[in-house]
Amino acid sequence: MKRILLSLLITVSLLTAFACQPGGSGVGDKVRVGVFMSLTGSTANFGISSVNGIKMAADEVNTAGGINGKQVELLVQDDRSDASEAATIVTKFVTQDQVHAILGEVASSRSIAAAPIAQNAKIPMLTPSSTNPEVTMKGDFIFRSCFIDPVQGAAIAQFAARTLGAKRAAIMVDRKNDYSTGLEKVINEVFTRMGGQIVATQSFQEGDQDFNAQLTSLKGSSPEVIFVPGYYNDVGLIAKQARDRGITVPLIGGDGWDSAQLYAIGGSALNGSYFTNHYSPYDTDPKVQKFVNDYKGRYNTVPDALAATAYDAAHIMFDAIKRANSLDGTAIRNALAATNGFPGVTGAVTFNENRDAVKPIVMIEIKDGGTYAVRERVQVDGAAMPMASSSASPAASTSVSPTAASTPAAATPAAGVKASPSPTRSATP
Ligand code: PHE
């Protein structure tokens, strides 16, 4: 009798355990979305903001009844700002966790490392903010809901050449970072074509603490601006050490600068420098203001571009799953590809033939005390701009034109671009 009871107990517990396993009977009950982001490590702020945005989007959908009646379950994993860890996590997502869709990463190098795994498993992966063209070239299951670096780099170079009238520029590039090297090539090509000259190029590596040798060398070539296509943690230190060495010219970078940590690290050394970004939290669009207020209410901080792009990406994925009306990877992939004018906080999203979004860019000026001003809005108008061999994708050939060059105190909304009433905000809310 005891024996029978015991074996019954074992059978029951085995059955229960099986039911809880992915692949067991419970799997159909939820929409499982794998999220891989840097929650610790060198660029932890990228991942923390992104996951905040994704969680908010998931809660909105779940509170409203889920996707076609199914609740969204997020499987959030920290890749520790490491590309090989990103690949390991995504392998686990597709082999063990049986996720239906994947959101991640921010850094292009980490998205590039993980994308082939999602592609091979035919599980759609959407990056909110990786801008290097190579990411989506990994295959037709890989999407991005932000602009790409050939466009961002052109905006940066054109701003320096046209708006600032610079003729001589230097570049500081992180040679091991796909985002940094990709952006450097485009900036170099466009700035040179617009009549400028790259008088010096120096390199660094993520996590370096001492940039004095490179900066001393750059100073000797008397640049009028210094392009720094890097991430906030390095940029903050570079700015500080540049000012310490008596370099007073503006530094100009891209979206990788965006973090409240930037000013915390670089402080006033960043005043008068510029970077391109995905959105402004002071956009009057009610949709943007609702997002900013909800986010502030929930997290007690102003959402940066990572939070906004990740929030959008999550909703774009949920919307595609809803339209697919299936949890099959190919069905979701096809619905995602059919996304048409999705009204995101960072702009409307339609994927082009490369599964990239075409979106407006804002040029931010860093002001005294770490406030941000929208210096210029850059609208991609689609006209032909000869791209260098540096552009990985010929189809990405686009023209960038500043639609409103305004003083920071009175940023004028440009035609076709959303207005920004209050161009100034604190970078360290
Ligand atoms: N675009 C950067 C990359 O591809 C990541 C990034 C996006 C960083 C937005 C900050 C803000 O690596």
Side-chain angles (χ1 to χ4, degrees):
M1 184 62 189
K2 231 180 180 177
R3 212 178 240 166
I4 295 171
L5 263 179
L6 196 73
S7 66
L8 203 74
L9 209 79
I10 290 169
T11 313
V12 168
S13 56
L14 273 177
L15 274 173
T16 317
F18 185 68
C20 295
Q21 286 289 314
S25 58
V27 81
D29 304 342
K30 290 207 167 147
V31 178
R32 304 164 65 82
V33 178
V35 178
F36 69 111
M37 291 286 176
S38 52
L39 298 174
T40 58
S42 58
T43 53
N45 280 72
F46 285 170
I48 293 167
S49 286
S50 302
V51 169
N52 283 350
I54 291 168
K55 282 189 171 156
M56 198 168 110
D59 284 354
E60 286 172 3
V61 162
N62 284 339
T63 307
I67 302 176
N68 298 329
K70 287 184 168 46
Q71 291 285 295
V72 173
E73 183 189 354
L74 297 177
L75 290 85
V76 178
Q77 292 290 326
D78 172 20
D79 62 29
R80 307 192 302 260
S81 304
D82 181 79
S84 62
E85 185 62 20
T88 303
I89 290 169
V90 172
T91 301
K92 188 170 166 288
F93 278 162
V94 300
T95 57
Q96 293 178 39
D97 300 327
Q98 301 192 352
V99 300
H100 303 115
I102 298 170
L103 295 170
E105 229 264 11
V106 171
S108 290
S109 294
R110 302 195 284 263
S111 290
I112 289 169
I117 299 153
Q119 176 65 33
N120 285 341
K122 292 193 185 300
I123 299 297
M125 171 179 139
L126 172 60
T127 168
S129 45
S130 288
T131 45
N132 185 289
E134 222 188 291
V135 175
T136 46
M137 290 173 149
K138 295 296 177 196
D140 62 350
F141 278 72
I142 315 300
F143 293 76
R144 99 180 81 221
S145 46
C146 58
F147 51 70
I148 58 171
D149 286 333
V151 179
Q152 174 168 226
I156 292 168
Q158 183 182 270
F159 175 77
R162 205 176 277 165
T163 308
L164 300 183
K167 291 262 177 272
R168 300 168 61 82
I171 303 189
M172 281 283 274
V173 58
D174 179 349
R175 287 263 172 248
K176 289 222 167 120
N177 177 325
D178 292 318
Y179 161 75
S180 188
T181 56
L183 211 43
E184 184 252 342
K185 274 191 211 152
V186 179
I187 292 171
N188 192 328
E189 190 264 329
V190 176
F191 187 72
T192 307
R193 189 155 40 73
M194 295 191 78
Q197 192 193 348
I198 302 295
V199 293
T201 303
Q202 289 286 324
S203 58
F204 63 94
Q205 252 190 60
E206 184 166 354
D208 282 354
Q209 298 296 309
D210 184 354
F211 303 88
N212 283 305
Q214 295 98 313
L215 291 167
T216 302
S217 166
L218 291 190
K219 194 184 177 193
S221 52
S222 327
E224 295 160 291
V225 296
I226 301 174
F227 296 119
V228 191
Y231 291 154
Y232 65 93
N233 47 345
D234 299 314
V235 172
L237 288 176
I238 289 170
K240 250 190 157 154
Q241 291 173 25
R243 301 310 177 223
D244 287 349
R245 304 213 75 74
I247 298 173
T248 56
V249 300
L251 310 184
I252 312 177
D255 57 350
W257 285 29
D258 190 39
S259 170
Q261 281 302 303
L262 175 72
Y263 208 83
I265 298 167
S268 60
L270 288 154
N271 294 356
S273 287
Y274 305 91
F275 68 100
T276 40
N277 212 355
H278 300 265
Y279 105 119
S280 158
Y282 287 89
D283 198 315
T284 42
D285 186 323
K287 166 169 51 19
V288 177
Q289 282 315 308
K290 182 179 187 312
F291 164 71
V292 171
N293 286 330
D294 290 353
Y295 190 95
K296 273 174 132 167
R298 187 173 164 138
Y299 299 110
N300 202 24
T301 182
V302 174
D304 57 18
L306 284 320
T309 50
Y311 173 84
D312 279 352
H315 271 304
I316 290 165
M317 185 62 93
F318 301 155
D319 173 68
I321 297 170
K322 184 176 179 187
R323 283 183 289 106
N325 199 14
S326 159
L327 294 181
D328 173 66
T330 302
I332 297 172
R333 182 256 163 234
N334 291 340
L336 203 50
T339 301
N340 189 359
F342 183 92
V345 164
T346 58
V349 171
T350 302
F351 296 109
N352 68 12
E353 66 280 15
N354 300 322
R355 297 165 306 285
D356 298 325
V358 177
K359 312 241 301 273
I361 296 179
V362 290
M363 178 62 79
I364 306 274
E365 178 175 4
I366 303 172
K367 310 283 284 181
D368 206 16
T371 54
Y372 287 176
V374 175
R375 172 64 190 263
E376 192 169 278
R377 286 169 182 278
V378 190
Q379 178 71 44
V380 182
D381 63 28
M385 180 180 75
M387 292 303 294
S389 48
S390 59
S391 162
S393 158
S397 195
T398 41
S399 157
V400 173
S401 59
T403 48
S406 55
T407 64
T412 317
V417 183
K418 283 178 227 96
S420 173
S422 164
T424 302
R425 71 160 166 119
S426 171
T428 47

